[in-house]
């Protein structure tokens, strides 16, 4: 099995022909490259392209290509996992095909279910509204009763206070 599913693209060393050379070699490999593999590819690529570069520059270039390649492969794997979800049983299922487009019985059932769901939702909303209305009326009645009782008590207290002053 190949070490990753997608091809490495866009190796970024700044030299187009060297980029292509390294990409081709990486994509032909059967295992994940380490930093030394990348360094050797850079040296061979420079030699094949008849280019010269000092050793510290080669090391820095190999390190940068290694990091870029590793990041790219990691992103590919994460994307594949996110899209695939790890479910290989889904490989044969066409997620874009809607079975209701080809099955008239299913389509009719789905339309009926949609209508029924709309009716039930409307009924539920009406029931909730009615309960809410009843609760508000009850709260208002209780509040009105409490307020009138307090008012009556207050009047009674005022009379007692008023009566004692007159007396």
């Amino acid at each position: 099995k190949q070490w990753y599913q997608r091809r490495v693209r866009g190796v970024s060393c700044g030299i187009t022909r060297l980029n292509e050379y390294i990409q081709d070699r990486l994509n032909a490999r059967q295992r994940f490259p380490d930093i030394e593999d990348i360094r050797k590819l850079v040296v061979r690529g420079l030699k094949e392209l008849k280019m010269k570069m000092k050793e510290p520059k080669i090391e820095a270039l190999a390190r940068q290509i290694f990091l870029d390649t590793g990041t790219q492969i990691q992103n590919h794997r994460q994307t594949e996992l996110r899209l695939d979800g790890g479910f290989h049983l889904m490989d044969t299922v066409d997620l874009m095909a809607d079975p209701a487009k080809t099955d008239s019985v299913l389509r009719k059932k789905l339309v009926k279910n949609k209508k029924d769901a709309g009716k039930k939702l409307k009924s539920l909303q009406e029931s909730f509204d009615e309960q809410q209305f009843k609760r508000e009326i009850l709260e208002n009645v209780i509040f009105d009763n409490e307020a009138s009782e307090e008012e009556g008590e207050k009047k009674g207290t005022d009379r007692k206070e008023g009566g004692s002053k007159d007396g």
Side-chain angles (χ1 to χ4, degrees):
K1 186 176 178 178
Q2 207 169 2
W3 53 280
Y4 68 97
Q5 299 295 322
R6 298 182 185 176
R7 296 178 55 82
V8 174
R9 288 195 166 72
V11 175
S12 57
C13 73
I15 305 168
T16 305
R17 291 182 0 220
L18 185 58
N19 283 347
E20 291 169 359
Y21 177 85
I22 294 170
Q23 280 176 200
D24 290 344
R25 300 312 179 278
L26 286 176
N27 289 323
R29 298 180 71 92
Q30 293 298 311
R31 64 181 181 85
F32 188 83
D34 60 15
I35 187 95
E36 189 58 29
D37 293 334
I38 300 286
R39 195 187 75 69
K40 287 177 184 176
L41 284 175
V42 170
V43 170
R44 284 189 207 131
L46 289 170
K47 192 180 284 184
E48 195 169 299
L49 297 170
K50 298 179 178 143
M51 300 175 79
K52 294 190 179 198
M53 194 177 283
K54 293 184 179 182
E55 190 61 32
K57 183 98 173 166
I58 291 172
E59 291 297 325
L61 187 60
R63 190 174 308 109
Q64 183 60 44
I65 292 170
F66 178 73
L67 291 173
D68 290 347
T69 303
T71 301
Q72 190 179 126
I73 292 167
Q74 185 178 27
N75 289 340
H76 287 328
R77 286 183 175 169
Q78 288 172 351
T79 301
E80 287 170 359
L81 182 62
R82 199 170 38 252
L83 294 175
D84 186 22
F87 298 108
H88 299 290
L89 296 174
M90 297 297 292
D91 290 347
T92 58
V93 176
D94 183 6
L95 297 176
M96 299 307 288
D98 184 0
K101 288 183 179 178
T102 57
D103 187 350
S104 62
V105 175
L106 176 61
R107 186 173 44 253
K108 288 176 185 175
K109 180 68 174 167
L110 291 173
V111 169
K112 182 183 179 308
N113 287 349
K114 183 179 178 182
K115 287 179 184 176
D116 291 347
K119 289 176 186 176
K120 287 180 182 178
L121 185 61
K122 186 176 180 181
S123 171
L124 181 66
Q125 182 66 41
E126 288 171 355
S127 171
F128 177 78
D129 291 345
E130 185 178 325
Q131 289 175 11
Q132 188 72 20
F133 181 71
K134 286 178 182 177
R135 183 176 295 134
E136 287 174 5
I137 289 175
L138 184 61
E139 287 173 358
N140 286 337
V141 167
I142 291 171
F143 180 75
D144 288 345
N145 286 343
E146 288 175 351
S148 61
E149 286 175 7
E150 287 176 9
E151 210 173 285
E153 289 174 5
K154 189 175 179 186
K155 285 182 181 179
T157 309
D158 288 345
R159 285 183 194 152
K160 287 180 185 176
E161 288 175 4
S164 60
K165 285 182 184 177
D166 290 336

